[in-house]
Amino acid sequence: MRPLPILLFVSLLGMALAAHVQIPLRRVKSMMEKLMEEGKWETYQKKRDEYRKRLPHELISGSQIAYDYGDIVYIGQLSIGTPAQRFNMILDTGSSDLWVPDSSCGGIPGCPDYCNKLPKDQCPQFCDPAMCCPGSSTLPLNARVGIQLDQNPCDLKHRFNSSASSSYQKNGQQFTIQYGTGSAQGFLGQDVVCLGDSNVCYSKQLFGQATQIADFFENQPCDGIFGMGWPALSVDQVPPLLNNVVSLLDQPLFNVWMDRKGTQQDVVGGLFTYGALDSVNCDTSKIVYTPITSQTYWQFAIQGVSQGAYSSKMTYQVISDTGTSLIGAPQAVVDAIGKQLGGTYSPFYGAYTIDCNATPDDIVITIAGQPFNISYKDYIVSLNGDCVIGLFGFTFGGFGPQWILGDPWIRSFCNIYHIGGVKIGFAPAYHSS
């Protein structure tokens, strides 16, 4: 299921074309939910684990964090080229690279890859003859029922056509981005890239044109990834888009608000605001800032966590990550909180399940000496008819972050990513329920 068109609201202020841009996020069905409905989740987990075992941990953590994007449920939009080609993107603060599928990835755009491999007389039996079977007869599609054929992960994506853009410039440098469940690889190109449909653009942005993407992207409701981490995190040291357009914004920051939408699909479920504070959805009178401890991820320190009778006063390095649907924490912390809440560990989910009618106390995280309370409304997540505690065991390795504060955290507190101040802030989020 593809996201519905995303509205974009742009406000231009001042004579110098300074601006702030708001891009609504659309809440879509996650890959986990989709695969569970199809009965394929356990098979996917096995393949993912087998893949991870084949990779040295240093390779995974060298350029990207060693987790996958299996749970992402929020999608935004970017425009590339002249005229603009629009892409549905993962807006990801946990990486710094921008890439989209290239037109050379997969078969004919809009057609499964297997259409290219079939004999001409068989193509119309399985594919749209007008679109996917040039040179063949237009026989009725009467032999497709019950047939399962492989397709390329790019086949159902929007793909960038460089020949259709008058502003495109070839670069050609090869790129590979390694994730915990696969990779995207191809070459770099240069073109105009804009935030949504706005005129906040950079005319010479380098970005990845993926000629191959991992199978797990096939089930993602997105085309590519828009990384919003710091430049040092970029695989090939390509300056991120945000760093290139930050001078065009009213303020050198962006903030994220995520709404509580439960299992609703294809609804506006949040808002990215670039260049201004979102005082409509966030209590900006109560922002608490803390310094960034590593200009790679949006990384900072917390001074402990508690829930009920459980309490830890350890200092942890954590990252704020819009690309993760749950909260990653050391397994010992996950186990302690899961048991404190009366949960039962489920290997199927990789998390603790809990009664869907439970209304337990808050999980409290201490930042800059102040408590931040996460309500059960945000940390209990509905999956496949069950309810899970939104914490999963996470191990980065080396000197990287020890926690990932994903969507349950961002639903509780608007996150303000202050590029100019090299700091991150948190403000209580407003919700209707």
Side-chain angles (χ1 to χ4, degrees), residues 22 255 271 273 276-285 414 428 430:
Q22 291 188 313
N255 57 204
L271 192 69
T273 301
L277 296 175
D278 179 6
S279 58
V280 174
N281 298 299
C282 313
D283 188 350
T284 53
S285 68
C414 296
Y430 294 133

Side-chain angles (χ1 to χ4, degrees), residues 11-20 199-200 245-250:
S11 175
L12 295 179
L13 302 177
M15 298 298 292
L17 295 181
H20 72 263
N199 63 350
V200 176
V245 301
V246 68
S247 62
L248 303 177
L249 302 173
D250 290 335

Side-chain angles (χ1 to χ4, degrees), residues 182-432:
S183 64
Q185 55 187 311
F187 56 92
L188 297 179
Q190 180 179 298
D191 210 332
V192 178
V193 181
C194 303
L195 298 176
D197 285 333
S198 76
N199 63 350
V200 176
C201 311
Y202 187 66
S203 62
K204 298 181 179 181
Q205 180 63 43
L206 286 173
F207 63 97
Q209 296 172 241
T211 56
Q212 296 181 51
I213 62 176
D215 289 343
F216 82 103
F217 281 112
E218 178 181 339
N219 294 292
Q220 295 287 7
C222 67
D223 300 314
I225 295 178
F226 171 24
M228 292 176 285
W230 292 87
L233 196 59
S234 172
V235 172
D236 294 303
Q237 302 303 300
V238 173
L241 174 61
L242 276 184
N243 289 73
N244 288 331
V245 301
V246 68
S247 62
L248 303 177
L249 302 173
D250 290 335
Q251 299 180 59
L253 56 81
F254 65 98
N255 57 204
V256 182
W257 168 75
M258 290 183 177
D259 204 0
R260 293 171 178 159
K261 290 298 182 182
T263 57
Q264 295 181 64
Q265 307 297 328
D266 287 316
V267 294
V268 175
L271 192 69
F272 267 71
T273 301
Y274 300 91
L277 296 175
D278 179 6
S279 58
V280 174
N281 298 299
C282 313
D283 188 350
T284 53
S285 68
K286 297 181 180 179
I287 299 175
V288 174
Y289 282 105
T290 191
I292 295 300
T293 56
S294 174
Q295 290 185 46
T296 50
Y297 306 102
W298 284 93
Q299 182 172 319
F300 58 99
I302 64 173
Q303 291 81 45
V305 59
S306 64
Q307 201 290 319
Y310 169 76
S311 178
S312 170
K313 301 297 184 182
M314 287 186 62
T315 295
Y316 297 97
Q317 291 294 312
V318 309
I319 63 173
S320 168
D321 185 14
T322 57
T324 301
S325 291
L326 304 179
I327 293 176
Q331 190 64 53
V333 175
V334 174
D335 291 339
I337 293 178
K339 293 174 183 177
Q340 178 65 35
L341 290 168
T344 301
Y345 184 75
S346 167
F348 180 70
Y349 292 113
Y352 282 80
T353 59
I354 192 172
D355 186 340
C356 290
N357 295 316
T359 57
D361 293 338
D362 298 345
I363 295 174
V364 183
I365 294 177
T366 302
I367 303 173
Q370 299 191 36
F372 288 79
N373 291 47
I374 307 174
S375 167
Y376 73 89
K377 295 181 180 179
D378 294 318
Y379 71 73
I380 294 181
V381 179
S382 177
L383 281 177
N384 201 36
D386 296 322
C387 289
V388 301
I389 299 167
L391 299 171
F392 67 93
F394 168 73
T395 302
F396 184 91
F399 299 98
Q402 299 155 293
W403 286 60
I404 305 172
L405 294 182
D407 296 348
W409 166 254
I410 301 172
R411 283 194 292 270
S412 299
F413 297 94
C414 296
N415 282 219
I416 298 98
Y417 305 87
H418 205 300
I419 300 170
V422 195
K423 59 185 178 181
I424 187 167
F426 312 104
Y430 294 133
H431 298 287
S432 58

Side-chain angles (χ1 to χ4, degrees), residues 37 54 136 162 167 169 184 224 292 298 317 369 418 420:
E37 289 177 358
R54 297 199 304 266
S136 64
S162 60
S167 51
Q169 295 185 41
I292 295 300
W298 284 93
Q317 291 294 312
H418 205 300

Side-chain angles (χ1 to χ4, degrees), residues 100-217:
V100 294
D102 185 68
S103 59
S104 62
C105 186
I108 300 172
C111 298
D113 192 45
Y114 57 74
C115 296
N116 293 337
K117 303 174 184 177
L118 291 170
K120 288 184 178 181
D121 61 337
Q122 294 182 21
C123 181
Q125 299 177 23
F126 306 104
C127 308
D128 183 334
M131 178 183 295
C132 307
C133 307
S136 64
S137 59
T138 55
L139 298 175
L141 304 182
N142 57 5
R144 298 175 66 179
V145 178
I147 301 296
Q148 180 63 47
L149 297 173
D150 293 333
Q151 65 180 30
N152 189 286
C154 283
D155 285 338
L156 300 181
K157 307 293 187 186
H158 294 114
R159 288 173 270 180
F160 180 69
N161 183 358
S162 60
S163 64
S165 173
S166 62
S167 51
Y168 177 78
Q169 295 185 41
K170 184 178 180 180
N171 177 282
Q173 179 182 336
Q174 298 299 301
F175 88 95
T176 298
I177 300 176
Q178 192 72 57
Y179 300 103
T181 49
S183 64
Q185 55 187 311
F187 56 92
L188 297 179
Q190 180 179 298
D191 210 332
V192 178
V193 181
C194 303
L195 298 176
D197 285 333
S198 76
N199 63 350
V200 176
C201 311
Y202 187 66
S203 62
K204 298 181 179 181
Q205 180 63 43
L206 286 173
F207 63 97
Q209 296 172 241
T211 56
Q212 296 181 51
I213 62 176
D215 289 343
F216 82 103
F217 281 112

